[in-house]
């Protein structure tokens, strides 16, 4: 409860608060050292960190600027919306959806043709839907897969979510 109160009302950084809470739990013997640090070597966590790193590299390339020029043309705002949602949902199927939103946030915000407020929420929805298509598209799928393999069950394959994810994504974009 103290941590939640500090997160809400304090101006201290989130990593500092969580780190101090971890240390306090260790000193009070509420968790073991093994339990506290076992997830730092968790395969799922490493995959998530790697996907975020890859997406940050993509964000720094000229690819994002070219995509912006392709998406936002003066032709039609509905066509621009369709291109943005299709493009971001496709990318978020193979790159972590949070990283896709972060990468395209600047594109939507800095376009000089259409008001960004009309495009931000649909873009977030499209990336969330696109993330449901593959195992690596969203952290939730990866965490579920990690929990299954930790429990001795067979994990998912890359495209096991596509049977449901593709139709739901198409319907969501429409």
């Amino acid at each position: 409860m103290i941590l939640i109160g500090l997160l809400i009302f304090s101006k201290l950084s989130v990593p500092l608060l969580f780190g101090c809470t971890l240390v306090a739990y260790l000193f009070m013997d509420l968790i073991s050292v093994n339990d506290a640090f076992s997830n730092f070597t968790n395969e799922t966590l490493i995959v998530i960190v790697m996907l975020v790193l890859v997406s940050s590299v993509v964000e720094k390339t000229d690819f994002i600027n070219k995509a912006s020029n392709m998406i936002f043309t003066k032709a039609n705002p509905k066509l621009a919306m369709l291109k943005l949602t299709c493009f971001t949902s496709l990318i978020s199927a193979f790159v972590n959806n949070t990283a896709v939103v972060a990468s395209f946030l600047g594109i939507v915000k800095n376009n000089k043709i259409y008001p960004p407020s009309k495009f931000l929420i649909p873009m977030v929805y499209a990336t969330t839907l696109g993330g449901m298509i593959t195992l690596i598209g969203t952290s939730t799928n990866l965490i579920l897969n990690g929990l299954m393999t930790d429990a001795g069950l067979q994990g998912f394959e890359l495209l096991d979510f596509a049977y449901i994810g593709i139709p739901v994504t198409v319907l969501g974009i429409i």
Side-chain angles (χ1 to χ4, degrees), residues 63-108:
F63 171 75
I64 299 296
N65 289 331
K66 289 180 181 178
S68 175
N69 293 335
M70 181 189 77
I71 292 169
F72 293 109
T73 58
K74 291 183 179 179
N76 183 347
K78 288 184 181 179
L79 181 61
M81 179 72 74
L82 180 65
K83 288 192 283 187
L84 177 69
T85 54
C86 288
F87 196 64
T88 55
S89 65
L90 179 66
I91 292 173
S92 71
F94 299 99
V95 178
N96 187 284
N97 56 8
T98 305
V100 173
V101 170
S103 298
F104 278 82
L105 196 60
I107 291 175
V108 173

Side-chain angles (χ1 to χ4, degrees), residues 67-170:
S68 175
N69 293 335
M70 181 189 77
I71 292 169
F72 293 109
T73 58
K74 291 183 179 179
N76 183 347
K78 288 184 181 179
L79 181 61
M81 179 72 74
L82 180 65
K83 288 192 283 187
L84 177 69
T85 54
C86 288
F87 196 64
T88 55
S89 65
L90 179 66
I91 292 173
S92 71
F94 299 99
V95 178
N96 187 284
N97 56 8
T98 305
V100 173
V101 170
S103 298
F104 278 82
L105 196 60
I107 291 175
V108 173
K109 188 178 84 172
N110 295 330
N111 93 81
K112 295 177 178 29
I113 301 171
Y114 304 113
S117 61
K118 303 289 184 196
F119 288 85
L120 290 173
I121 293 296
M123 178 189 68
V124 171
Y125 288 160
T127 56
T128 303
L129 292 169
M132 295 187 327
I133 295 173
T134 63
L135 174 63
I136 61 173
T138 183
S139 304
T140 308
N141 293 353
L142 286 168
I143 291 169
L144 176 63
N145 189 62
L147 290 172
M148 288 176 59
T149 56
D150 288 347
L153 300 171
Q154 180 182 354
F156 292 108
E157 298 291 322
L158 179 67
L159 296 174
D160 281 351
F161 295 91
Y163 303 110
I164 301 296
I166 290 173
V168 168
T169 302
V170 170

